[in-house]
């Protein structure tokens, strides 16, 4: 089954404790992206990747890091999380057709 | 820059029609529409391409006015299953999308 998976689905952590949210796709898509979703603000792009080892900043990259060492994986790293990063995070992947496939989401709470 | 969607929310009865608008400050060659049901991930609905070609959903239609940099999504004879938040997205140079803030559609029985 074609899918994008994210782990964990729910995470509660404390300020400053490094964390990684994993994202994996099995569709051999070239493009991948991370979004955060906050009430009233829609989906805002954090980082995106055009292929292995090629990444670029989206609209809200501050406080986040990404890497793309393999085509299928695109982890999101928060090295020192803060409460303003409490949000719902989505990973997505797509190919040249533009249709994006989203993962199920990760709800992060930073206290 | 984020496209602007209107209205922010709409409530209607089953069987009624709704229109959701999306406008951009930059020139567009395509507009993308997604729907997100409560508690779920966004799902692709359709792509509107410059020149009028439309790819996607067979029960929801849309228009794309390149000169006005606007797109409208038309939901006719709404069903309960149409409830959710609708996002339009505009493409960037690397095939990434910038999404609008969304329109929350509630269909009541």
């Amino acid at each position: 089954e074609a899918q994008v998976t994210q782990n964990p689905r729910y995470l509660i952590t404390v300020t400053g404790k490094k964390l990684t949210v994993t994202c994996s796709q099995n569709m051999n898509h070239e493009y991948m992206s991370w979004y955060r979703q906050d009430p009233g603000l829609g989906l805002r792009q954090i980082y995106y990747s055009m292929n292995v080892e090629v990444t670029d900043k989206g609209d809200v990259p501050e406080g986040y890091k990404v890497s793309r060492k393999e085509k299928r994986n695109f982890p999101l790293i928060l090295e020192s999380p803060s409460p303003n990063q409490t949000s719902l995070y989505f990973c997505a992947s797509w190919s040249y057709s533009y249709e994006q496939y989203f993962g199920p989401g990760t709800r992060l709470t930073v206290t | 820059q984020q496209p602007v969607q209107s209205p922010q929310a709409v409530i209607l009865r089953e069987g009624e029609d709704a229109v959701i608008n999306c406008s951009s400050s930059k020139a567009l060659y395509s507009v993308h529409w997604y729907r997100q049901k409560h508690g779920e991930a966004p799902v692709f609905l359709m792509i509107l391409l410059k020149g009028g070609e439309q790819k996607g959903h067979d029960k929801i239609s849309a228009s794309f006015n390149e000169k006005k940099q606007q797109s409208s999504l038309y939901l006719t004879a709404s069903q309960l299953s149409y409830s959710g938040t609708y996002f339009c997205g505009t493409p960037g140079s690397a095939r990434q999308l910038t999404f609008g803030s969304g329109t929350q559609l509630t269909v009541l029985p």
Side-chain angles (χ1 to χ4, degrees), chain A residues 31 37 41 94 96 98 100 103, chain B residues 2 29 34 36 41 94-95:
Chain A
Y31 301 88
Q37 185 173 26
L41 298 178
W94 67 102
Y96 295 102
Y98 275 104
Q100 295 197 13
Chain B
Q2 214 175 13
Y29 59 88
Y34 286 73
Q36 182 181 29
R95 294 179 177 267

Side-chain angles (χ1 to χ4, degrees), chain A residues 18-36:
Chain A
K18 182 179 178 179
L19 66 92
T20 299
V21 183
T22 64
C23 173
S24 183
Q25 50 98 1
N26 63 0
M27 296 167 278
N28 200 37
H29 285 165
E30 290 76 15
Y31 301 88
M32 298 186 73
S33 181
W34 277 102
Y35 299 92
R36 61 177 289 172

